[in-house]
Amino acid sequence: LGIPGDVASALLIGGLMIHGINPGPMLFVTNAPLVYTIFAALFVANICMLVLEYFGMRLFVKVLAVKKYALLPIIVILCSVGAFGSGNRVFDCICLMFFGIYGYFMWCLRYPLGPMIIGFILGPMAETNLRRAIMAVDGNVWAFFQRPIAVFFFLAAILSVVVTILQNRRGKDREKG
């Protein structure tokens, strides 16, 4: 349905949306050649990875011996070159650094990365559909609460947030006690 359930599918949907492809139930109808080309490419990639892993296993194990202080600067440089090369703008490198630092602080504060990525992907779609719905009811927000199904989903959303907060508080109390 075009709704990602985890980080990997959110990234895949984001990549499709960047290229102007609308993910959802009509993906196979509107873009069938592209979808089947992706399937074929994944099949060939799996076979290539099997061969490479079989013959390169000894070499790949040696890569694990490389220290982080040598490997991380190389990764940062390659990411910066890729960000700059995609659009030939320094702004892309600045965005890379900003979101890298932002991600690091999220990691330090133990915020999960998955919900943020899913929200980043679903945010524009949710905003567009909310705007359409508000225009359909002439700006009357209370019209959303006149149907029992809508009220049920709204209450279920509130209940899930409250239950999650209570479970987190109980978990913290158990750690302290």
Side-chain angles (χ1 to χ4, degrees):
L1 296 176
I3 299 173
D6 60 353
V7 177
S9 59
L11 291 174
L12 180 66
I13 289 173
L16 289 172
M17 291 174 66
I18 286 171
H19 291 288
I21 299 168
N22 187 16
M26 297 299 291
L27 178 67
F28 288 91
V29 174
T30 58
N31 296 307
L34 175 69
V35 172
Y36 292 120
T37 303
I38 292 172
F39 285 164
L42 289 172
F43 183 72
V44 171
N46 280 322
I47 292 172
C48 291
M49 286 301 297
L50 181 68
V51 171
L52 284 173
E53 288 176 7
Y54 182 75
F55 292 112
M57 189 60 66
R58 289 185 180 91
L59 179 66
F60 297 146
V61 170
K62 291 181 182 179
V63 172
L64 294 174
V66 177
K67 302 292 182 194
K68 281 186 181 180
Y69 64 83
L71 192 59
L72 291 180
I74 294 170
I75 293 171
V76 169
I77 289 171
L78 290 175
C79 289
S80 299
V81 168
F84 182 77
S86 67
N88 290 334
R89 295 179 298 193
V90 177
F91 177 74
D92 294 338
C93 293
I94 294 170
C95 285
L96 173 79
M97 290 185 336
F98 172 76
F99 283 109
I101 293 168
Y102 181 70
Y104 175 73
F105 282 118
M106 283 184 64
W107 178 76
C108 287
L109 297 173
R110 296 185 180 167
Y111 281 99
L113 190 60
M116 188 189 130
I117 293 175
I118 291 173
F120 187 73
I121 299 299
L122 290 180
M125 290 189 299
E127 182 180 356
T128 302
N129 290 323
L130 178 64
R131 192 178 308 119
R132 283 181 191 158
I134 290 175
M135 287 173 33
V137 294
D138 294 327
N140 183 11
V141 179
W142 291 108
F144 297 124
F145 303 105
Q146 294 175 351
R147 304 284 181 172
I149 295 175
V151 172
F152 170 75
F153 281 117
F154 184 71
L155 292 175
I158 291 174
L159 182 67
S160 75
V161 170
V162 169
V163 167
T164 303
I165 291 172
L166 291 176
Q167 286 177 344
N168 286 341
R169 285 189 181 170
R170 287 182 189 154
K172 289 180 182 178
D173 290 342
R174 287 181 189 151
E175 290 175 3
K176 289 179 183 177

